[in-house]
Amino acid sequence: MFAWLETSGIAALWAVALARAPHGLRNRFQRPLWLAIVMIALAMSMHLEPVTAALANVVPDEHWIDLSKHLFSIVDAAAVLWFILGAADRRRHTTPVFGTAAAVMAALVLLDLAAPPHARNQIAPDPATPGVPDAYWWVFFLFHLLADTTCGIVCWLYGRQDTPRLLRLGLLLFGTGTLLASLLWVLKLVYLQTRSPDLGPLFSPVTGAEAWFMAVGAALPVALQLRAHRDHRRTYRGLAPLWRDLTSANPDVVLKPGNRLSALAMPLQLRLYRRVIEIRDAMIVLRNYVTPATLEAVRRHVAAQSVPAHLTDAHVTACWLAAALDARRNGHAPQSQTVNLAGPDATDLDEETAHLLQVATAYCAPSTGTYRASPAGAG
């Protein structure tokens, strides 16, 4: 009845893997997580009936298909544990994690070879059915239980620390998914001991819930990246009117890209960074066209416009930029500037960009247009 939950959860994992592929392949720090998501999706997919049927057409012996899926799932669990531990404390536990995984895989192969002839590596409802010994399943399930429980606990511990909200929620959801995987292994251990028919129907919905929690948890960082890209795009466009006027009057401040193709291929964040630098450089040039009388007139004008206090500096800057542009276009000579027109001190690029966006918004605001039309602005 809940087969759709498992299928849809695995499909969601594949969708997240595809969405993260461009960033995961380029960024060496994100590549392990992306590979882990792909391996989780692949390991779960291999247990779906259509996939098993397709494998049967390639490998006619179902026994070897079962064993291969189990061995691959060990590699998958080790890879996820390796990434989570590395992301948590920035150290890679390669030898203990993959060494243990190799030992478990060797044990499974030896137990399988030592077992009497059997058609499948599955827990048969009747214990008398020939198959691998219970030790095979204990080794298999306990390794998964240990790996998934460790991943879940680490994700929950780091998901409760001081991290961005979406990333924190993503860690908690991904950790919940791995803990649901632990629940699945506990259920299978109980089934191994009891062979209760009531437990079998629980495996698929628990797997589906596990896949959905992991998919949503892994997708949230993508949502964070998309939101950051949207904010950068909005800021880039918001700065455009101010940037066009300032750079048209001061073309020398424009940083020349290598060629048009490289400019189009430049990441948006880098283009935004260049635009901020060019606006700042143009402001340094234009401030030498602002006289003390003009600056005093600008301040009186802004004070009369009922501008919110936190935007006063941005509106003053927008108005003196408009006055400086007019002075430069009219051929006025620059003069040494004794007044600090640099604006508030910014501790990082984000603060600098936010301030310039306020200036750009004020530059297009009616108050600046009113100043241009006033006798002081026209003068």
Side-chain angles (χ1 to χ4, degrees):
M1 181 174 62
F2 292 99
W4 63 270
L5 184 62
E6 182 179 7
T7 304
S8 62
I10 295 172
L13 270 176
W14 279 115
V16 172
L18 290 174
R20 294 187 67 116
H23 188 67
L25 290 171
R26 288 196 307 265
N27 191 316
R28 66 185 182 91
F29 297 105
Q30 294 296 322
R31 197 174 301 130
L33 174 59
W34 179 77
L35 290 173
I37 295 170
V38 171
M39 294 186 71
I40 291 172
L42 187 58
M44 288 185 173
S45 300
M46 291 177 70
H47 293 277
L48 296 176
E49 286 301 328
V51 178
T52 301
L55 290 173
N57 295 326
V58 180
V59 182
D61 191 341
E62 293 180 327
H63 159 256
W64 292 112
I65 294 176
D66 292 338
L67 180 60
S68 299
K69 290 192 295 187
H70 294 163
L71 295 178
F72 181 82
S73 72
I74 296 296
V75 177
D76 162 62
V80 176
L81 178 61
W82 176 76
F83 169 76
I84 295 297
L85 292 177
D89 59 13
R90 304 301 178 190
R91 289 184 292 114
R92 295 301 184 192
H93 305 266
T94 305
T95 301
V97 171
F98 288 103
T100 303
V104 170
M105 294 169 69
L108 294 181
V109 172
L110 292 175
L111 288 168
D112 178 82
L113 294 175
H118 51 283
R120 302 292 303 270
N121 279 21
Q122 293 181 341
I123 303 175
D126 183 4
T129 304
V132 293
D134 285 356
Y136 178 98
W137 300 111
W138 277 98
V139 171
F140 182 60
F141 293 155
L142 285 177
F143 177 81
H144 277 287
L145 180 61
L146 177 62
D148 290 335
T149 303
T150 303
C151 288
I153 292 174
V154 171
C155 287
W156 266 83
L157 288 176
Y158 279 81
R160 299 177 65 181
Q161 294 183 1
D162 187 18
T163 55
R165 185 172 61 88
L166 276 180
L167 181 58
R168 184 167 66 249
L169 182 58
L171 283 171
L172 293 176
L173 289 172
F174 194 87
T176 301
T178 57
L179 291 176
L180 282 171
S182 300
L183 173 62
L184 177 66
W185 304 121
V186 171
L187 289 174
K188 290 193 174 185
L189 282 170
V190 175
Y191 178 75
L192 176 65
Q193 296 302 111
T194 64
R195 300 301 206 276
S196 171
D198 296 330
L199 293 175
L202 298 177
F203 298 159
S204 180
V206 171
T207 301
E210 168 198 349
W212 268 111
F213 272 97
M214 286 183 173
V216 176
L220 284 181
V222 178
L224 191 63
Q225 293 167 7
L226 291 176
R227 188 175 71 174
H229 184 83
R230 180 203 63 190
D231 293 342
H232 289 154
R233 174 69 63 184
R234 184 179 299 167
T235 302
Y236 187 78
R237 291 176 176 173
L239 293 174
L242 178 65
W243 175 82
R244 280 195 297 267
D245 284 2
L246 267 56
T247 54
S248 62
N250 304 275
D252 292 340
V253 304
V254 178
L255 302 172
K256 299 295 190 296
N259 52 58
R260 182 173 178 82
L261 184 61
S262 64
L264 292 175
M266 189 180 300
L268 175 60
Q269 190 170 6
L270 181 56
R271 281 185 280 150
L272 175 60
Y273 178 62
R274 288 168 63 100
R275 180 160 286 187
V276 169
I277 292 175
E278 290 164 358
I279 290 175
R280 265 301 183 187
D281 288 349
M283 291 173 65
I284 291 173
V285 174
L286 288 172
R287 67 185 181 182
N288 294 323
Y289 290 86
V290 181
T291 65
T294 299
L295 189 59
E296 183 60 31
V298 164
R299 288 172 174 160
R300 287 198 303 269
H301 170 80
V302 172
Q305 301 299 311
S306 300
V307 175
H310 69 284
L311 296 177
T312 297
D313 183 77
H315 280 259
V316 168
T317 302
C319 287
W320 73 249
L321 281 172
L325 285 170
D326 286 341
R328 184 177 173 90
R329 292 189 188 106
N330 293 329
H332 293 192
Q335 57 183 342
S336 177
Q337 182 57 253
T338 58
V339 181
N340 179 20
L341 297 178
D345 293 333
T347 58
D348 55 32
L349 179 62
D350 289 339
E351 288 187 11
E352 177 81 4
T353 304
H355 172 67
L356 290 181
L357 186 59
Q358 289 181 346
V359 174
T361 303
Y363 185 77
C364 299
S367 61
T368 304
T370 304
Y371 173 77
R372 288 194 185 98
S374 67

